[in-house]
Amino acid sequence: VPSSRALAADLGVSRIVCVTAYQQLVAEGLLAGRVGAGTFVSDAALQLRPAATAAPPAGRPGPRRLPRERLLPEAQPWLACWGPFRLGQTAVAEFPAELWSRLLVRCIRRQPRRQMSYGDPMGHAPLREAIADHLRAARSVRCAPDQIMIVSGSQQALALAARALLAPGDEMWFEDPGYPGARDAFALAGARPIPVPVDDDGLDVAAGLARCPRARAAYVTPSHQYPLGAVLTHARRLALLAWARRRGAWIIEDDYDTGYDDGSPIPSLHGLDGDRRVIHIGTFSKAMFPALRLGYLVIPADLVERFTIIRATLDNFPGPLLQRALDQFLREGHFARHLRRMRTLYAERRRVLVHALERDLGLRVRGHRAGMHVVAMLPRGVSDRAVAIRAAQRGLSVTPLSSCYATPRPASGLVLGFGGTPAGELVDAVRVLGRELAR
Amino acid sequence: VPSSRALAADLGVSRIVCVTAYQQLVAEGLLAGRVGAGTFVSDAALQLRPAATAAPPAGRPGPRRLPRERLLPEAQPWLACWGPFRLGQTAVAEFPAELWSRLLVRCIRRQPRRQMSYGDPMGHAPLREAIADHLRAARSVRCAPDQIMIVSGSQQALALAARALLAPGDEMWFEDPGYPGARDAFALAGARPIPVPVDDDGLDVAAGLARCPRARAAYVTPSHQYPLGAVLTHARRLALLAWARRRGAWIIEDDYDTGYDDGSPIPSLHGLDGDRRVIHIGTFSKAMFPALRLGYLVIPADLVERFTIIRATLDNFPGPLLQRALDQFLREGHFARHLRRMRTLYAERRRVLVHALERDLGLRVRGHRAGMHVVAMLPRGVSDRAVAIRAAQRGLSVTPLSSCYATPRPASGLVLGFGGTPAGELVDAVRVLGRELAR
């Protein structure tokens, strides 16, 4: 490189600027100075120069298979669309946001400094008590608060359960059709989800026993099957629990959109089991709003330590602020009140949607006893995927039922969420959908 | 079971109560009614009865090995103690909590309803822009905002990188001594951390090349090695990058407590590399406070999709509220101001601690050029673990250096955090420690 004096003259700056810059570059190993011989680009820096023709990188990520690329909108345009029928949407416009803001602000103003440091990987202890109380009353779940782990939602709960309970290669029952997000979580942990058929009574336990009696776990959505919407019957709940006890298998109960059924809620599998073989998972994403990022696991007592270590290794602990606000929301009765209001609201939206689908489009509707979505069945031979792609172009986020199947020859239908869409707009959206179906 | 009439008389309640209860139990499959024959406990319910002598459950969790049980306080009493010298503690008393509360409250009041729904697995876009700007200026990291993923802290970043880059059985270089939390994250993903020695120049790259030239990745803490505190020299940075390019290996750069060095910061490995082989990880837990639960990954452009899918599968997306407040904190210059104040504060605490350790206890101190902890070396033969256990009984959270080693015959020393302890209390704590050492 030129001498610092020559460079300074060249650039029209003071020499001290150039000397300082050279010193910094020498310190960083990019230049080397030899006494009496001037300053040179170092050998190491020369090695760093990109090759003239950029070779493709030799190293790729490890060969671990990723879950089906469910997030890629090009293959699944309904996921790129946030219009009516989008699954998982809640009535955010009806959430008591003012009240929630006041609770949050109160929690912020009263935040103790010690809560700015590290926290418990299981979560904020008072919130865990409040959730244990709620679950006892609402879901017949009997557990101690220290069996409850606060997580960011049911997705994290599933990922944790998969890591804690299953070794790579372990077989498990998985509802078919089923929830792709759960299948991905188990597959990413190396487990092998074995498809078990679902009918209007929920998971077909006898088929599971015939197909894979030695499975180590079963994943079920008993309150409102995803996507078909069945409520798992009591006879099947008992048969499932009996199998799990005989085999020593785990039941992963995803209670993801409970609370919005049309009658007296059926007790959870956890409640029937008495805290032995069931890992119970719930989320506030559906009962409150998804951006809250709070959910929970109910963990059998002798597995709590195992789950804690894995949680601490995967993401340490959940932040305290929103947990504290949620604790207040539960304790002051706002949660129960909101749930009651939403039960009425969703029942009305469901009624309007089912009516329009049946009467105006002449479709058979399944899964309308509970939850925030229904399935409109299509005749076999009509491609639900083609309908969903066309609907997305019209601004409707319609999920094809076939996308939830692991086995070939799936049924054809449209999974339609109604949580986020007012009744009037649902009727309009059904009309648009009808035009697409008529084509 | 008794007839509803007999039961009602027995209990002294109205018969309708008993009839309703029986009906509910029949609906739940626990009782069965036979016409003309009364009501019976169902076969299914009998199966559910716990065995008279409770057999141990046949099924245990899958055989996957857990990381060393680093969280169990009985084995590591210094982790149960939150007194002086606790690692990872920051000066929360000095954090501008009033200002932060105002920003949070402002974000809460202006929260758009649409942000209550699902969000981007990569995180809040404006925050990612603000972090990209900060990293360009402070760490010579050049990247587009869409290469930045917001995570809950460096632990989640490590878990994600482990899943995304390494397949089970893959070998990787791991600093020895090194950060147990990182080792656990890689081990949980099935990778095989190969210990590579560390000296006062940081990771010994030549030793790594000799020991395991075909590793798929290297984990390094170049800004302030955990725990020895070395700053990785430029010569070694260049050698490490040259190896990674030759081999096509990934470098996982954990920049966990940057910003608190005693001079001009050295550019990151990512900055030297130009976004090819380096995954850069940072956290706001040290620069702000741990309960914030925000950190970031800088991901090479062609791996962004892979990381996104894994993040969506492990915990979906990060909540927006704290991200929005942090975005404001960065953009309004509060972060840079806080960092400057803390640099001075920590430099003073470091100076006082090092002085007391050297002068009063006559110990050799390592790793005091940067960061929020130092290491006081003990003579070989003195058990740092025994000292740490005694210190914990005196309320000091002293981490034994030997606990950070993977290989046998570790060095003996005390890893001492000073971030959370005012200078005056550090002097007192050193005095207490001295008495324990003298025993």
Side-chain angles (χ1 to χ4, degrees), chain A residues 178-380:
Chain A
Y179 176 49
R183 194 185 290 124
D184 291 348
F186 293 112
L188 190 69
R192 290 182 50 206
I194 306 293
V196 175
V198 170
D199 59 25
D200 286 333
D201 288 343
L203 181 84
D204 185 344
V205 177
L209 282 165
R211 203 162 288 190
C212 185
R214 301 185 58 77
R216 287 196 62 86
Y219 169 79
V220 274
T221 51
S223 301
H224 189 231
Q225 202 271 332
Y226 189 103
L228 289 180
V231 178
L232 189 65
T233 61
H234 265 282
R236 290 205 178 164
R237 286 173 195 245
L238 298 176
L240 183 61
L241 288 168
W243 164 76
R245 290 186 182 175
R246 230 168 30 241
R247 163 71 185 135
W250 304 108
I251 297 174
I252 298 155
E253 173 177 40
D254 186 350
D255 208 33
Y256 77 103
D257 75 350
T258 189
Y260 299 135
D261 45 83
D262 62 2
S264 61
I266 293 175
S268 63
L269 280 167
H270 192 282
L272 284 175
D273 178 47
D275 190 31
R276 301 205 294 171
R277 309 303 319 166
V278 177
I279 290 84
H280 181 86
I281 292 175
T283 179
F284 291 99
S285 295
K286 304 288 179 287
M288 292 181 60
F289 57 96
L292 179 60
R293 307 315 298 131
L294 289 172
Y296 50 85
L297 281 159
V298 182
I299 305 167
D302 56 346
L303 294 181
V304 165
E305 184 176 300
R306 188 178 177 83
F307 273 82
T308 307
I309 291 171
I310 292 174
R311 200 285 162 68
T313 307
L314 287 183
D315 86 336
N316 224 331
F317 73 103
L321 176 60
L322 291 151
Q323 291 187 80
R324 289 171 57 229
L326 176 58
D327 176 39
Q328 298 300 311
F329 196 75
L330 285 161
R331 283 176 197 269
E332 296 178 7
H334 308 301
F335 181 73
R337 205 168 303 127
H338 177 61
L339 218 55
R340 276 197 302 275
R341 276 191 62 224
M342 291 303 102
R343 184 176 289 137
T344 313
L345 182 87
Y346 292 138
E348 170 63 8
R349 291 186 180 180
R350 189 190 298 126
R351 194 189 58 72
V352 167
L353 174 61
V354 171
H355 187 71
L357 290 167
E358 289 180 340
R359 186 201 52 186
D360 301 345
L361 306 192
L363 298 175
R364 183 164 75 91
V365 179
R366 295 175 73 173
H368 50 76
R369 273 187 59 198
M372 291 162 57
H373 73 262
V374 298
V375 185
M377 301 307 292
L378 298 180
R380 241 175 232 277

Side-chain angles (χ1 to χ4, degrees), chain B residues 56-76:
Chain B
R60 306 302 309 160
R64 187 199 297 275
R65 279 221 339 260
L66 276 191
R68 307 172 310 132
E69 308 210 339
R70 64 187 170 97
L71 289 170
L72 303 186
E74 49 281 24
Q76 305 181 59

Side-chain angles (χ1 to χ4, degrees), chain B residues 145-169:
Chain B
D146 57 15
Q147 293 174 256
I148 292 184
M149 176 185 280
I150 307 298
V151 292
S152 68
S154 55
Q155 194 66 38
Q156 186 175 38
L158 292 166
L160 281 165
R163 303 290 305 172
L165 302 175
L166 296 162

Side-chain angles (χ1 to χ4, degrees), chain A residues 28 59-60 64 89 92 95 113 116-118 155 163 188-189 216 234 245 248 286 291 293 313 317, chain B residues 28 48 59-60 64 89 92 113 116-118 155 163 165 188-189 216 234 248 286 291 293 313 317:
Chain A
E28 294 182 8
R60 307 303 307 160
R64 187 198 298 272
Q89 293 298 92
V92 290
F95 184 77
R113 290 251 179 195
M116 294 172 66
S117 186
Y118 286 92
Q155 195 64 39
R163 303 290 304 173
L188 190 69
R216 287 196 62 86
H234 265 282
R245 290 186 182 175
K286 304 288 179 287
R293 307 315 298 131
T313 307
F317 73 103
Chain B
E28 294 182 8
L48 273 179
R60 306 302 309 160
R64 187 199 297 275
Q89 294 297 93
V92 290
R113 290 250 178 194
M116 293 170 68
S117 186
Y118 286 92
Q155 194 66 38
R163 303 290 305 172
L165 302 175
L188 191 67
R216 289 196 61 86
H234 264 281
K286 304 288 179 287
R293 307 315 297 133
T313 307
F317 73 102

Side-chain angles (χ1 to χ4, degrees), chain B residues 253-436:
Chain B
E253 174 176 40
D254 187 350
D255 209 34
Y256 76 104
D257 76 348
T258 187
Y260 300 136
D261 45 82
D262 62 2
S264 59
I266 293 175
S268 63
L269 280 167
H270 191 283
L272 283 176
D273 178 46
D275 190 31
R276 301 206 293 172
R277 308 304 320 167
V278 176
I279 289 84
H280 182 86
I281 291 175
T283 179
F284 292 98
S285 296
K286 304 288 179 287
M288 292 180 60
F289 57 95
L292 179 60
R293 307 315 297 133
L294 288 172
Y296 50 84
L297 280 159
V298 182
I299 304 168
D302 57 347
L303 295 181
V304 165
E305 185 177 298
R306 189 178 178 82
F307 273 82
T308 306
I309 291 171
I310 294 174
R311 200 287 162 69
T313 307
L314 287 182
D315 87 337
N316 226 330
F317 73 102
L321 176 60
L322 291 152
Q323 291 187 79
R324 288 171 57 229
L326 177 57
D327 176 39
Q328 298 299 311
F329 196 76
L330 284 161
R331 284 176 197 269
E332 294 179 8
H334 307 302
F335 182 73
R337 204 168 305 125
H338 178 60
L339 218 55
R340 275 198 303 275
R341 275 192 63 224
M342 291 303 102
R343 184 175 289 138
T344 313
L345 182 87
Y346 291 138
E348 171 64 8
R349 291 185 180 180
R350 188 189 300 125
R351 193 189 60 72
V352 167
L353 173 61
V354 170
H355 187 72
L357 291 167
E358 288 180 341
R359 187 203 49 190
D360 301 344
L361 305 191
L363 298 175
R364 182 163 76 92
V365 179
R366 294 174 73 173
H368 50 75
R369 273 187 59 197
M372 291 162 56
H373 72 262
V374 298
V375 184
M377 302 306 293
L378 298 179
R380 242 175 230 280
V382 175
S383 162
D384 51 12
R385 186 172 289 267
V387 172
I389 290 170
R390 282 207 308 274
Q393 290 161 358
R394 297 281 167 276
L396 305 180
S397 181
V398 167
T399 304
L401 177 59
S402 61
S403 70
C404 300
Y405 278 85
T407 45
R409 303 177 54 83
S412 180
L414 305 173
V415 192
L416 304 171
F418 54 79
T421 313
E425 292 177 31
L426 284 170
V427 172
D428 295 342
V430 167
R431 205 167 295 135
V432 174
L433 186 61
R435 281 200 295 273
E436 290 308 317

Side-chain angles (χ1 to χ4, degrees), chain B residues 10-23:
Chain B
D10 238 34
L11 298 176
V13 299
S14 117
R15 193 184 157 200
I16 190 73
V17 171
C18 298
V19 170
T20 310
Y22 279 10
Q23 280 170 343

Side-chain angles (χ1 to χ4, degrees), chain B residues 1-4 7 17-27 31 39:
Chain B
V1 296
S3 74
S4 57
L7 185 65
V17 171
C18 298
V19 170
T20 310
Y22 279 10
Q23 280 170 343
Q24 178 72 18
L25 292 166
V26 170
L31 293 184
T39 306

